[in-house]
Every structure is written in C-alpha cells, then in structure tokens.
Amino acid sequence: MPQLPGLLKGLGVTARTAARTLFPKRGLRTLIPAPQQGSVTVQYPHEKEAPPDRARGVIALHEENCTACMLCSRSCPDWCIYIEGHKVKAPPRRAGGAVRSVNVVDRFDIDYALCMYCGICVEVCPFDALFWSPEYEYSEPHIADLLHDRIRLSEWMETVPAFEDYEPGSEQKVRKVPDFGPDDFLPERKLADDDAVLAPAADAATSADG
Amino acid sequence: MTAATDLRSQQAYVAAQAADARVNVELDTGDMTLNIGPQHPATHGTLRIACQLDGEQVISAEPLMGYMHRGYEKLCEVRTFPQCTTLINRIDWLGSFANEVPFILAAEQLMGIEAPPRAQWIRTILFELSRIANVSLFLGDMGVQVGALTPVFFAFRDRERVLNQIEAVTGGRFHPNFDRIGGLKDDLPRGWIDETHAVMAKMRGFCDEMEDLLMGNEIFQTRCRSVGVIPGEVALDFGLSGANLRASGVDWDLRRDANPGLAWDEVDWRVWTHPDGDSFARYWVRLQETREATKIVDQLLDSIPAGPIMAKVPRIIKVPAGEAYVSTENPLGEMGYYVVSKGGLEPFRVKIRTPSFSNISVVPWVMRGTYVPDIITILGSLYFILGDIDR
Amino acid sequence: MSGAAELAGLLGLAYWAETSIKLGVALIVIPTAALLLGYLFLLKMMAFMQSRLGPQDVGPYGTLQLIADAVKFLQKEDIHPATADRRVFRAAPVVVLASSFLLFVVLPTGPDAVVENLDTGIFYAMAVSSLSVLGVLMAGWASANKYALLGGLRAAGQLIAYELPLILAVMGVVIQADSLNLQEIVRAQAEGEIFGFGLIGNPFILTQFIGFLIFMISAQAELTQTPFDMPVAETELVGGFHVEYTGFRFLLFFMAEVATAFAFSALATVMFLGGWWIPGFDFDAPALNVLGPVVMLIKILVVAFIIFWIRFTYPRLREDQLQKFAWKVLIPLSLANIVVTGIFKVVV
C-alpha cells in the first residue's frame, strides 16, 4: 500500500478529533452533537473536578488527638506550622485514679501561603491528628487569609475521605479516619475550659514558630 | 616627481582610501544582537540566549542562565534527609518522581539499607510514569516550537491521564514526594494497576497520533531534519546525556548500563538510538522511548512482588558519615546526586548533576550558522526544563 | 453598467444615498464576517480539534466571546514604545485594515448585490490585497523592536514571493472566463457546460484545479496563516510585527486578519466554486439577490474551513524553505497552468 502523505494524515488526525469531540455519541444518536461529553476539559466553576482520595489538597486537623507535641512543626521543611499549647490537669479517667496532665492546643496554624504540600507533617504525626483532604477551593484574595487556624483546620476534617484499600500483595494496614460527629466537637477542649480555672498553675505553655 | 605632485597623489590616495572605507561602512550591515529571553515563549521559563545575528543567520549564541536559581544545593544542607525530597521534587518539575529516586538511593547507599522488592518495583513504575508524563509533553511542545498548535493540546490531554495515575498513588500531580529512605510512603490503592494498564494503552495511542500528526508531517521533517546536527563525539565532549546523546548514535542508557538497583533488569525492553543526531532524531528517539516506557510499565505492573514497602529504618534518620554518588537515567538524561554526610540529620553537601545544564552547554556550538527559526527548533529538540538548568 | 445602479435608479435613490447605504452595509458586513469566522473557526473549531469546548460563558455557547474580547481590547491602554515612530506606528493597523475593507468592494454576492462592479475587478482585488504588506512593513519598522523588524521583513519577503503565484493562478481563470470582471467570471461559470452537461454550470475548480490549489496555498501565505505564519511566529518572534501593539490597535490587526481570510475565501468562491449562482436559476433572476448571498456564505465557510483546518494542523516552514517552495515549485507550476489553459482556450 502506498504511503499516505503525512500532510493528509495530519489533517485526518485533527478532523477525527473534532468529530469525536463534537459527536461523541454512538449508534443512532451519533449525529446529535454533544461536545460537553466529547471534550476532555472540565468546565471548572460550573462543574468540579474530583481529585483522587489521596490527593493532597488541604490538611485537616483532628484537634482531639493533637497533643501539641511539635513533631509536625519541627519536621516541616519550610516551617509553616505554628503551635502553642499548655498543660492542664484533667480529672482521672476512672474514679479514684490519679489526676492526669493533658496537653491542650492553644494555637495550631498552618500558613498555606508557605506550605509546599509535601505531607511530611501528616506522616510524622504519631497521634493521628493530621489528615489530608482532597479539597482544593480555599484560595483567598489576601495572602494573610491563607493562614488557617485550628478552627478552620478542624472544619476540613469533614471532607477527609476514608482511606482506600490496597492492591493485593500489600502488607500495609488500612488506616481509619477517626469519627467526627458534630456532637463531640472538641470534647477535650470543652473539658480543658472547664478545668482551666481549677489548675491555672499547671500551665506549661510551649511555643514554637519559624 | 616633484614634491607637489607627490603630495597630491598622496592626498588622492588617502581620499580614495577614506571613500573606500566609507563605502564599506555603508555596505556593512553590522551585526544585530537579539536577546531571546528571559521572557520568551520558546524558553519555557527564564532562559536567556544572547544571539549575534547577521540578518537571520546566527553568528554566535550564548545561553545565559541563573534567572531562576533557587539554591537547592545550599537549601538541602539545612534540611534533614526526609525534608530534602520536597525540594528535589521541584528541580525537573515535569518528571518530579524521577528526581527523588537518585537522592534516596544515595542516602540508602550511605546507610547501607535496601528497599524491599515491592518498593523497588513501584519505584520503577512511578519512575517510568514520570518519564512518560515528562516526555509526552515534549512530544506536543515540539509542535508548538515549530508552529503547530494542536499537538500540545493533545499532549496536555493525554499527559493528564498519567498525572492522574501518579496522583492517585502519591497524592500529588507534580510533586509526589513519595519516595522514602528505605522504601515508599504508601502502597498502591486498589484498582490502580488495571487503570494504569488502560492509561498505558491510551498513551501508546497518543504516540501513534503524534506520529501521524507531527512526526510524519513533511513540513515538520523539513524543519527538523539536518537542523542542529550534533555528532556523537561532540555530544560526548559536551557531556550530553539522555535522549539527546542517544539521538547522536551513542548507545548509552544508565537504566541498562548502570542500574542502581531498580527493577529495569527484570523486564524486556530496548534502548533506541538514531544515527542522525539532528532535531528530528531527537524527536524520534523520545517518541520511541515513550512507547518503550509504556511497555516497561505494563510488564512491571504484571509482576509486582508481594511484600512490605518499607525496610527497617530508624524513626529519626541519621545518615552515617561518608559520601555517595548515584545517578539514574531521568527523562532528560543523567541526573546524579553527590551526597556528603557527616553523620548528622542533614547532608553536609549535596551536589546535583542535572541533565539540562549539560545538555544546554552544547548550544553555542550547535547554533553557529543556523537561522533564527532554527534556534527555536534546536532549543525545543534539546528539551530542557528551566528548573533543571538553574535548580 | 452596474445592476446596482439600475436598482438604485428604480428605487429613485440619489448617488449619495446609494453610496451611504452601500457604505453602511459594508460597515456591518465586514465586522460581522470577521466575528463569524473568528467564532466558528478560531474559537470553536480549533477547540473541537483539540478536544476542548472553547468559550462557553459569554452568550449562548460562547457566541458573544469575541465581542467581549473586543470590549476588553478597547479598555486597554494604548501603549507606544518610547522609540517608536509614532505617526507610522499609529497608521500601520489602519493601512492593514483598509486593505481588507477595500477588498470587499468588488465581491459580488448576487446579480445586483455588489458594492461596485468594476470591469477590472480581479485586478483591483489583487492590487488592493497587496496593500496590507505596506501596513505590516510599517508596523514592523515603526515599532523599534528587533522582533517586530524581523517579522516585518519576513512579511515583506514572503508576501512578495506569494503575490506572484497568486496572480498567476488567477490568470488561468481570467483566460478561461475571458474577463477581469468578477460578475463575468461568475457568469462564465454559470453558463459553462461540462461536456455538454450544463445543469450545474462549470465551476472552474474542475478545469482549474491546479490553479485552485496554488491560489489556496498562496492565499494561506498572503494571510500569514500556518504553515506560512513566519511574520507572526509566536514561538520565534513573539508575535512578529504586532508584538508592540496593544488594545484596539491590536484589535484592528486581528480583525483585518480574519476579515481578509473571509475576503480571500469569497474570492476563491467567486473564481473557482461558481460564486453566488444557484443551478436552475436564470443568471439575472432577482431572487438571487437574496439567495445568492446565502449560497455565497455557505461556500465561503467551506473554503474558510479548509484554510483554518490547515492552520490548526500544520507546523510552520522556515523562511528560506518557503521562498524555495514559492520560486521553485509554485511559480513554475502556475506558469505551466497558464500555458496549458491558453492552449486549451485556443484549440477548443
């Protein structure tokens, strides 16, 4: 078979693509133009793109689990996590037990203007307090508003998807996202507020910022 | 001959000389200095090429870089080993996972640990995926460099599928930060292998499409054939690597010749070379390599061994004193990290050998005597990433 | 002589009234044509060929996008480079746009629907279309920018090289039609016969196919569309001659480009595809004054489709390769075409 000139082949490729974009339907409905389905682009403000569950969109804070241990803050490559916390005396778990000392987070800020989205903080957290959420719509007109405080970070927890199963052959254990109902909103925090009056002397505020 | 006539003839001679000189000055068009860049669509970033032009012909061209220098070698010295990968991601931003691998391998070599086979397999898969993502963009972008608008949209369209696969595993489209000393951050999510098989089939379709749309096009061939010819010896002299070297007929591929322990030895693939050394050869070699990479990925996906993905690594990573140099065959060429450790948390010194920096050094040699449009063709076909030059 | 004049006489219009009506129609038709081509091909067809949707938001299916763009351009600051030759710099886009406006004068769209039916219509069209080179050169030179200068010089070299095959390709048609008048060319096609079969007339694309190809290739170069867009060459010259233009002056260049594409498609339609004539109608049927423009428009869109299809598919040539192609291939070919046409004209 003689070789078709490349010039004609190229025209064929573009024409084919145009036809596929304009008439993506098959069968009897082929001639109904439906570019909305044929195109590969997402009409962003009108329809949202769905990133995969693992996508590193925004970091969510499960404040209940945070002990202000500073591991995330210290392992951050550009030092964009600011944590302050203090110790409070908490009532014993069982009646008759010893009074516990609990770390309470006063400040947990992530500056998304600096964040490089590397995920090291989420990885090093030993208490399952930080999670990735694929949410991406939090751009701001003012750069200072990109500093998310612990309330804002806690709100992201609702968007954290469950961890996915692994491919066969994996020995990894599937982790679980802690339950986060509206009822138990920051119970530790409430507790701390109640007891703060009792034990103000026990404060050992630690602070670290970059 | 009297003194007067002597003087007169001398004056006439001087006048004639002056007139000649004036005519020459008037006819001499002089060279024009044309700054291509630092803001120019063909330099994919902020490369500047100072050209001396005679009409449209290039007398000399000198690449001037540093407009995007971010000081990564120095920044690495004040970051712990796990933190460094975040920075290293951003050197060649189109194939970022491939950047992490040699650094992690160098650190592993210093620590004397080896990642388990499953981790090695997944590393190799992601490495080749980032190669496909990187080079497929070149395949389209070369079209833009020579004036065809459509190929680059095809490239963006189909590269997105690969990036989605990378994102589904690593969580990041461009900056995966997934490689860890001793293994990987996480395992593959369920269903990923089948999806990736489908994407690889699509990418082979993309390669066919590019062959029909661009590489087979007679105008493209006229623009690229015998433009920017780099003979094999010259390429070696200038330290070219990767597809640029293979397009000059040098059969050299670190994946085969100096495999640092990844899974390339386990699959059946070949190294493509082209004898011509011109811009077309560079395009051709990269197209074949993309096809070859999809085959490598397909084979590796079918043979991932079961097992853990992390070796036993201490929680706080201290790398023993010593030095190591590991280089791999990245999408752009040989990328190597020379890591010196003094036994602390941070590397004492990191020297990064990036492929684009060496590849671009051939520009003054190869551009001499070409035309202005050829500058763009050659720059496009040498295929550099600005972050990879300036790092 | 002009049918339009007779019509005007029938309606009892004075010369000035007739002229101002014509002017008004032209002022509406030309931007509309540019918008139509720009929307259909530059925005939508290009998007579909690249698996995209194109503009969606402004108006239904993004139909008003170009108008929104024009409004945006009008709001922009009008920047002159400090070292530019201000007067020439300002005049250049007007010259380019004037060239494409003047082209529309002779385009016939019906037996009487023509602005001015010149006896030497095709000669006039060719002459006027080369005016745009002047504007491009002015823009390139006056911008005081090296890229613009290179672009302007390239445009000059290229347009001169392609003017020749363009005119020579037209010569074949002129010989066959025995006239330089565009209406007469349409008539020759309408009243022609293909081996005694006269139902669809004799569109010259059948006998002048080589001429049609050469005309289309040269038109592509004349319009500085890919694969001959070296004067603009975004990746090399960053826009070439119009690199320094902003706001509405850039808009003028853009409008001229698309409007000229429309005009050249119309010329190709008139000369090769039978023009506005519809098979089955008498040549002078008054109904054709209404139906003719519609038929013309459809044919023009088909031709423009080919022009833009090629533009979106091909890479561009290098300047020297283009010159080689023009002088070594196109010009000999078009000369041969004239010789063969001439022989047939004499023999048959």
Side-chain angles (χ1 to χ4, degrees):
Chain A
M1 205 184 110
Q3 187 79 26
L4 204 64
L7 292 173
L8 293 182
K9 261 192 194 170
L11 286 178
V13 172
T14 39
R16 205 161 53 230
T17 314
R20 268 189 209 145
T21 313
L22 200 51
F23 306 109
K25 295 187 174 162
R26 288 285 153 263
L28 285 176
R29 294 178 302 158
T30 303
L31 282 179
I32 305 169
Q36 298 275 2
Q37 287 144 48
S39 72
V40 294
T41 47
V42 176
Q43 298 299 305
Y44 168 59
H46 309 301
E47 43 182 298
K48 302 269 181 286
E49 200 179 2
D53 283 356
R54 281 191 190 179
R56 300 201 297 262
V58 67
I59 298 167
L61 170 71
H62 190 55
E63 202 183 328
E64 205 180 331
N65 284 354
C66 182
T67 61
C69 71
M70 300 282 165
L71 264 180
C72 49
S73 183
R74 269 184 292 161
S75 63
C76 179
D78 45 7
W79 309 294
C80 70
I81 305 179
Y82 311 100
I83 304 177
E84 284 167 29
H86 68 275
K87 279 197 169 64
V88 293
K89 290 274 188 292
R93 281 189 208 279
R94 296 178 304 274
V99 173
R100 295 179 300 144
S101 164
V102 176
N103 273 323
V104 173
V105 187
D106 293 324
R107 177 188 182 205
F108 194 106
D109 295 349
I110 298 181
D111 190 350
Y112 283 110
L114 285 178
C115 179
M116 300 210 291
Y117 298 86
C118 64
I120 291 178
C121 51
V122 179
E123 215 176 329
V124 296
C125 181
F127 301 109
D128 272 0
L130 291 174
F131 296 91
W132 275 114
S133 153
E135 205 60 37
Y136 51 89
E137 288 180 308
Y138 54 95
S139 49
E140 301 279 356
H142 297 292
I143 197 165
D145 295 339
L146 281 171
L147 186 90
H148 289 199
D149 60 5
R150 72 193 157 82
I151 309 291
R152 187 99 195 265
L153 290 171
S154 303
E155 280 163 8
W156 290 120
M157 266 316 280
E158 290 169 32
T159 61
V160 175
F163 284 95
E164 293 165 290
D165 279 354
Y166 291 109
E167 282 282 2
S170 167
E171 293 180 1
Q172 292 286 102
K173 268 195 250 144
V174 180
R175 290 167 63 205
K176 278 191 74 178
V177 179
D179 282 334
F180 186 73
D183 299 337
D184 51 7
F185 182 71
L186 308 181
E188 197 92 344
R189 180 74 201 164
K190 277 185 213 152
L191 194 74
D193 285 340
D194 296 342
D195 294 338
V197 196
L198 295 176
D203 279 6
T206 44
S207 68
D209 38 54
Chain B
M1 197 179 280
T2 61
T5 53
D6 196 28
L7 183 69
R8 217 171 294 137
S9 73
Q10 202 162 357
Q11 277 172 341
Y13 176 76
V14 168
Q17 285 288 309
D20 263 7
R22 200 158 53 240
V23 166
N24 283 342
V25 164
E26 276 164 10
L27 287 183
D28 184 21
T29 46
D31 302 337
M32 180 164 89
T33 308
L34 187 70
N35 259 317
I36 297 189
Q39 304 282 326
H40 188 279
T43 56
H44 350 229
T46 49
L47 178 72
R48 176 176 153 215
I49 296 180
C51 297
Q52 288 288 333
L53 299 183
D54 180 13
E56 282 224 17
Q57 204 162 27
V58 179
I59 295 171
S60 73
E62 191 190 352
L64 301 164
M65 42 213 136
Y67 289 92
M68 231 185 81
H69 186 67
R70 294 159 292 175
Y72 279 168
E73 294 184 1
K74 208 70 191 162
L75 284 174
C76 280
E77 292 171 14
V78 290
R79 293 213 171 26
T80 62
F81 275 89
Q83 286 177 351
C84 282
T85 51
T86 316
L87 296 175
I88 284 164
N89 266 193
R90 285 152 170 83
I91 291 177
D92 161 15
W93 48 67
L94 292 182
S96 15
F97 185 80
N99 297 337
E100 301 172 12
V101 174
F103 177 78
I104 294 289
L105 287 174
E108 281 178 357
Q109 196 175 321
L110 283 173
M111 291 178 73
I113 47 176
E114 199 179 339
R118 189 176 173 85
Q120 299 280 22
W121 244 259
I122 298 174
R123 258 183 207 174
T124 320
I125 290 170
L126 287 172
F127 197 103
E128 291 301 319
L129 281 183
S130 64
R131 178 190 310 281
I132 295 167
N134 184 323
V135 178
S136 62
L137 192 60
F138 160 79
L139 296 177
D141 182 65
M142 190 66 193
V144 170
Q145 305 297 334
V146 296
L149 278 175
T150 308
V152 79
F153 283 93
F154 286 9
F156 276 123
R157 180 190 71 194
D158 287 333
R159 184 186 70 139
E160 198 58 34
R161 306 181 210 276
V162 181
L163 288 181
N164 280 343
Q165 290 313 101
I166 294 177
E167 189 183 16
V169 179
T170 65
R173 289 164 76 244
F174 266 60
H175 304 308
N177 193 28
F178 195 64
D179 218 357
R180 296 287 178 274
I181 294 173
L184 293 169
K185 180 180 157 196
D186 211 345
D187 213 319
L188 304 176
R190 189 174 290 270
W192 189 81
I193 291 181
D194 292 337
E195 282 170 30
T196 312
H197 273 307
V199 168
M200 288 303 108
K202 282 255 199 264
M203 289 315 287
R204 277 191 287 274
F206 164 74
C207 289
D208 295 343
E209 221 167 37
M210 279 300 131
E211 203 169 304
D212 285 351
L213 179 62
L214 197 60
M215 201 176 82
N217 191 309
E218 279 82 358
I219 298 176
F220 179 76
Q221 298 196 3
T222 344
R223 276 302 298 279
C224 290
R225 280 205 193 267
S226 66
V227 167
V229 181
I230 307 174
E233 314 88 69
V234 179
L236 283 171
D237 286 351
F238 277 100
L240 262 61
S241 55
N244 293 332
L245 185 57
R246 288 191 284 277
S248 298
V250 182
D251 191 7
W252 182 89
D253 193 319
L254 284 175
R255 288 178 286 175
R256 180 198 59 196
D257 304 337
N259 187 352
L262 298 188
W264 287 302
D265 294 343
E266 316 288 332
V267 289
D268 177 34
W269 61 285
R270 60 162 293 186
V271 177
W272 292 91
T273 58
H274 197 287
D276 287 359
D278 54 11
S279 301
F280 181 78
R282 291 191 274 276
Y283 189 89
W284 186 88
V285 165
R286 289 211 172 87
L287 188 73
Q288 303 304 334
E289 276 183 10
T290 314
R291 284 212 179 106
E292 210 62 39
T294 61
K295 282 180 206 154
I296 295 177
V297 171
D298 270 344
Q299 294 175 47
L300 286 171
L301 284 173
D302 291 335
S303 62
I304 299 181
I309 50 154
M310 245 342 226
K312 286 259 176 291
V313 177
R315 202 175 172 84
I316 291 172
I317 289 172
K318 278 193 175 167
V319 176
E323 52 188 63
Y325 177 76
V326 174
S327 60
T328 51
E329 182 73 24
N330 274 42
L332 300 165
E334 178 189 353
M335 180 170 224
Y337 290 85
Y338 175 64
V339 181
V340 183
S341 177
K342 292 262 174 170
L345 291 166
E346 296 111 3
F348 176 73
R349 171 88 171 93
V350 178
K351 164 80 181 85
I352 308 170
R353 190 256 186 231
T354 50
S356 297
F357 183 77
S358 303
N359 286 350
I360 209 76
S361 69
V362 79
V363 159
W365 187 89
V366 75
M367 293 244 177
R368 204 172 302 137
T370 57
Y371 294 99
V372 171
D374 292 341
I375 297 178
I376 313 301
T377 316
I378 295 168
L379 279 184
S381 71
L382 280 175
Y383 192 38
F384 53 88
I385 304 283
L386 239 290
D388 204 43
I389 296 177
D390 282 345
R391 57 194 180 271
Chain C
M1 109 122 264
S2 147
E6 286 166 27
L7 190 72
L10 282 177
L11 295 175
L13 286 178
Y15 176 73
W16 64 267
E18 189 197 327
T19 308
S20 45
I21 287 175
K22 281 176 178 173
L23 202 66
V25 169
L27 280 180
I28 294 167
V29 163
I30 295 166
T32 317
L35 282 178
L36 185 71
L37 279 199
Y39 172 72
L40 271 184
F41 297 125
L42 268 181
L43 297 181
K44 280 299 180 183
M45 193 180 86
M46 176 151 124
F48 292 148
M49 284 185 170
Q50 297 164 351
S51 302
R52 299 184 286 120
L53 272 182
Q56 284 286 315
D57 284 342
V58 192
Y61 300 100
T63 31
L64 303 178
Q65 181 66 44
L66 278 173
I67 295 172
D69 282 349
V71 170
K72 184 198 76 179
F73 276 126
L74 290 177
Q75 291 169 349
K76 297 266 171 188
E77 188 189 352
D78 182 26
I79 300 171
H80 298 79
T83 45
D85 189 337
R86 286 175 80 98
R87 240 176 298 168
V88 183
F89 184 82
R90 284 182 183 184
V94 179
V95 172
V96 174
L97 192 66
S99 136
S100 61
F101 264 61
L102 290 175
L103 257 180
F104 279 82
V105 168
V106 286
L107 292 176
T109 55
D112 302 315
V114 56
V115 176
E116 201 56 65
N117 191 9
L118 294 179
D119 279 343
T120 53
I122 189 67
F123 179 75
Y124 166 84
M126 292 295 113
V128 156
S129 75
S130 2
L131 264 184
S132 69
V133 184
L134 201 61
V136 167
L137 250 183
M138 282 161 68
W141 183 257
S143 294
N145 178 312
K146 287 168 184 171
Y147 288 112
L149 178 61
L150 276 178
L153 291 179
R154 279 183 186 190
Q158 163 177 343
L159 298 185
I160 289 165
Y162 275 85
E163 208 63 6
L164 216 51
L166 190 74
I167 292 165
L168 292 178
V170 169
M171 283 308 292
V173 173
V174 171
I175 292 173
Q176 211 178 345
D178 267 340
S179 173
L180 285 168
N181 183 318
L182 286 170
Q183 286 289 35
E184 291 304 310
I185 290 174
V186 175
R187 180 193 291 278
Q189 295 179 68
E191 291 171 357
E193 290 177 337
I194 313 162
F195 302 118
F197 175 71
L199 190 62
I200 59 161
N202 180 17
F204 286 156
I205 187 174
L206 299 174
T207 47
Q208 292 287 332
F209 188 68
I210 307 272
F212 178 68
L213 277 186
I214 296 170
F215 183 84
M216 290 303 286
I217 294 173
S218 315
Q220 201 87 358
E222 184 87 13
L223 298 168
T224 63
Q225 306 261 36
T226 336
F228 307 113
D229 66 338
M230 290 72 107
V232 188
E234 284 93 347
T235 41
E236 295 159 22
L237 301 182
V238 217
F241 59 86
H242 59 56
V243 64
E244 292 286 0
Y245 282 88
T246 54
F248 77 98
R249 289 183 207 283
F250 176 77
L251 182 69
L252 292 187
F253 274 122
F254 179 77
M255 225 169 83
E257 183 189 328
V258 186
T260 318
F262 190 89
F264 266 89
S265 310
L267 272 181
T269 307
V270 167
M271 285 191 297
F272 296 101
L273 300 179
W276 44 263
W277 184 69
I278 306 170
F281 279 87
D282 274 347
F283 184 74
D284 285 327
L288 282 178
N289 277 330
V290 182
L291 293 176
V294 179
V295 172
M296 261 303 261
L297 186 67
I298 294 169
K299 287 179 180 174
I300 287 172
L301 288 183
V302 170
V303 177
F305 172 76
I306 297 171
I307 290 179
F308 282 96
W309 187 12
I310 287 170
R311 169 177 175 162
F312 301 144
T313 307
Y314 289 165
R316 77 173 74 86
L317 281 164
R318 213 169 56 205
E319 193 63 38
D320 56 326
Q321 291 162 348
L322 165 133
Q323 297 283 353
K324 247 181 238 164
F325 183 62
W327 292 100
K328 288 190 177 167
V329 180
L330 285 185
I331 291 177
L333 204 64
S334 46
L335 284 174
N337 183 45
I338 291 176
V339 170
V340 172
T341 314
I343 290 171
F344 268 90
K345 186 77 188 171
V346 173
V347 172
V348 181

